[in-house]
Amino acid sequence: MVRGRFALQRGEREVAARCFWEAMRRDPEHRSAHYRLGQVLTELGQPRQAAPFLERAERLLQLSLVLDDLFYHRTQVPIMERASVLNEGLGRIPEAFSWAVAALQIDSGTAWAQSTAQRLAPLRPDLLRRTLKETSLAENSDLSHFPLPDWPLAASEETRITDVSGAGTDSVQFADDTLRTGIDFQYFNSGDPETPGARIFETTGGGVGVIDFDADGWPDLYLTQGCTWPPATGAKLMSDQLYRNIRGQRYAASTEQAGIVETGFGQGVSVGDVDNDGFPDVYVANLGQNRLFHNNGDGSFTDITAFTGLDGALAELWTTSCMIADLNGDGLPDLFDVNYAAGSNIETLICEENGTHRSCSPRAFDASGDHLWVNQGDGRFVNVSEISGLNVPEGFGLGIIAADFSGDGRLDVFVANDEVPNFYFVNQNSAGSVPVFAEQAMIAGVAVDGEGAAQGCMGIAADDADGDGLTDLFITNFYQESNTLYSQATRGQFFDATRKAGLRDPGFAMLGFGTQFIDGELDGWPDLVLTNGHIDDLTALGEPWKMPPQYFRNSGGGQFRELPASQLGTFFSGRYLGRGLARIDWNLDGLDDFAVSQIGSPAALLTNTTAEHGHFLTIRLLGSVTSRDAIGTEVEIQKGDRRIVKTLFGGDGYQASNHRQLTIGLGDQICVSSLLVRWPDGSQQRWNDVSADQSVTVIQGREVLYKSCE
C-alpha cells in the first residue's frame, strides 16, 4: 500500500495499480486496496474494470458501518441480519453463519437466522477459509501486466513539492472587527453545565448567512439562534438576528424592524430569491420546523412557511444545512434540506464511553433522509424527495454544495455526511421536469477518503484549488481524522489529493466545521480558512476542546501551507468552538472577509486587512432566463497567460450562505483580456479588456457590462 501511494505521488498510475493489486492478493479483504485500485483504474480510463473493485470496497465499508451499529445496539436482531447478509454476499461464510447463530441465541424462533444457519451448515468444512474463492476479486483478476516499481533507493528530487506560484505573499492578515462594527451575538445551544456530556443537538451550533435584504448594495448578516430545548413555558425567547450593513462602516441590529421572528432551535441558513422578484429571501434550517421568510421589498419580511406547504411537514425533522437553488432548470429556485439524525432520543440521549459521558455518535440514532421541495411558481413547494432518488439510506447530513460538476448544464448536489459515506447526487433530469438524481459518490471518488474510509464530514469549501478549470472540494472532518481535499481530475471524477496538497497533517489534531476558499492576498490562487472546535470537553482525557481557526495559503497549483497565527491576527491565536462560517466582503474593498458563529463565544466578523495584495475583479451575476440567483453559473477570465474559472455555488457548505458575488484575484494584472460567462441554460456572453479593481454586474442577455472599462 505504501508503494502504491508513493507511485501515485510520482504520477505512476500503472505502477500504483499493480501495487494495490498485489496488496489485495495478500489480504483479499483489504478495503483500502480495493478502493485505491478502483480509483486508479478509473483514472487510467478503465471504468468497467474498476467497477467490481469499487463495488466490493463499498460493500466492505457497509459491513464496517453495520458492525458499528451493533456496537451501539448489541442485541438488535435486524442489524445482525444485515451483518449476516452482507457477509454472505461477500463470500465470508464463517461470519455470516456466526451472526445467524448469535441471532438464534437471542431469539431461537428467528426465521431468517434458522434458514441461514441451515443453508450455510453444509459449508462448514470451508469455515477455516475466510472468503470463498469464487467471490474473491484477488483470486479472480490478473493485473500482472502492469509494471512493478523500479525506483532508486533514495527518492528522486523530482518528487519534491515546490512552490509553483512565483508570486504572492504570506502576509495575509485579518482584524477582528466584531465589537467595532456593533455585532453583539452569541449562539445559545441549550447546554446544561451541570449535566456531564452533551446531547447531540447541542454540538452543531449555528449558521451564518450573507444577505443584502434592503437592496442597497451593502451585504448584511443573518445569524441563526438556538433556544431552550425542549421549549419550556415561560422561558426567555431567543431569536435569530439580522444585522444591517451601514455603508461598510458598522452594523445595526435590524431584526425587530425587519419583522423577523424566528424562535426555533436554529441551525443553518440559505439566502436566495425564491420568487425572482429581485429581493433575497431567507430559508432557515431548524431542529423541528424549518422557516421560509419572504422579503417584502421594503426592508421587512413575512413568514410564509404555512402558505408554502412546508408547515407541519418538517416538524419532526432535524435539518442542519439547507439550500435555495433551481435544481430542475425551470427558472424557479427549489429548497433542499440536509437532514441529520432522527428519533425522540436525540433530545435526551447522552452516551458513556470508558466511564466518560459524552455526546453520542450519530450511529446511535436513526438516519434521516434529505428532502427536496420543488417550487410550483405560485408560492407553494412540493416534496419530491422519494421520486427524485434522494431516499438513500444511512445519511447523517451536515453540509451541502451544488454546482454543475458534470458539465451538462444541470446542478449536481454534494452532501457531507457524518461517519457514513458522503452523497453525490448527479442530476439526470430534463429542464422543467421533476428532478431525478442518481447517487454516485463511490464512483465519483467523493464517498470516502483515499483509504476507503468514511469520515465525520462537516464543512465544505468549493473552488478550483489547482487551477485546472475544474471545481475541487475541501471537506473538514472529525478529530484525529484528516481533512480531505477531493481534486476533480476530469468532469465528475475526483481523487483524494489531501496529502499531496500538504493538508493532511495540519488538520489531524483538529475537529473542523465551517470552511471557505478565500483568495486572501488576491494572487489568483484560492486559500483556505476554517474554524475548529470539539463537540465534547474531553480535556481530562488529553483531547483539546476549544481550538484555533486555521488559514492555509495556496502557493500555487493547489499546494498549501498553514500560516502562523501570530502573523494572521489576534483572532487566530484564540481558542473557540467554531461552527458556521461564511465568506463576505462587508466593506466592499475587494478583499474577502469572513463571519463565523461559535458556541460559548460571540460570533466574529474578520476583516481582511492584508496590506500587500494584488488587483481584483468582483462580479455579480443576475439571471433572466435562468433563476435570478444564477446558481451554477461559471465565469472564466484570462489573466495574462493563465485562465481562471470561478463558479457561483449553491449551499455554501456547513450551515452557511456566502456573499452572492465572485471575487477574482488578478495579482499584478490591471486588466482582464477576456471575461466569459457561461449561464446554466448553456448561453454564453463574452467581454474583452475589462479593467481591474472594480465591481461589475452581469445581467443575462444584456450586452452592457456595468462599470466595465470603456
Side-chain angles (χ1 to χ4, degrees), residues 109-184:
T110 304
W112 72 264
Q114 291 175 345
S115 63
T116 299
Q118 291 172 2
R119 184 177 66 257
L120 299 183
L123 300 176
R124 288 182 66 85
D126 290 333
L127 288 184
L128 292 179
R129 182 184 178 92
R130 187 180 184 190
T131 306
L132 292 177
K133 181 177 181 179
E134 54 266 30
T135 65
S136 172
L137 291 179
E139 298 183 69
N140 291 281
S141 62
D142 184 4
L143 299 183
S144 59
H145 60 282
F146 285 130
L148 287 166
D150 183 18
W151 302 321
L153 293 178
S156 168
E157 291 293 320
E158 297 175 350
T159 64
R160 294 183 181 178
I161 295 173
T162 58
D163 186 323
V164 300
S165 66
T169 173
D170 279 352
S171 300
V172 180
Q173 293 182 319
F174 292 87
D176 187 344
D177 278 336
T178 313
L179 295 178
R180 183 181 72 80
T181 56
I183 295 175
D184 182 14

Side-chain angles (χ1 to χ4, degrees), residues 375-394:
N375 193 331
Q376 301 299 292
D378 59 1
R380 295 178 301 112
F381 292 82
V382 174
N383 190 341
V384 298
S385 309
E386 290 280 346
I387 59 177
S388 291
L390 299 182
N391 191 23
V392 181
E394 296 300 314

Side-chain angles (χ1 to χ4, degrees), residues 548-615:
Q550 293 173 290
Y551 190 96
F552 295 91
R553 179 178 177 255
N554 188 338
S555 58
Q559 303 299 314
F560 291 86
R561 185 174 72 85
E562 183 176 5
L563 298 186
S566 59
Q567 170 188 310
L568 290 163
T570 57
F571 177 78
F572 285 84
S573 297
R575 300 291 188 271
Y576 315 95
L577 301 178
R579 295 302 185 256
L581 186 153
R583 184 178 65 248
I584 179 175
D585 180 8
W586 78 272
N587 55 7
L588 301 183
D589 64 354
L591 289 165
D592 276 337
D593 318 304
F594 66 93
V596 57
S597 181
Q598 301 169 140
I599 296 176
S601 302
L605 176 65
L606 281 302
T607 303
N608 189 337
T609 58
T610 302
E612 298 180 14
H613 59 78
H615 299 281

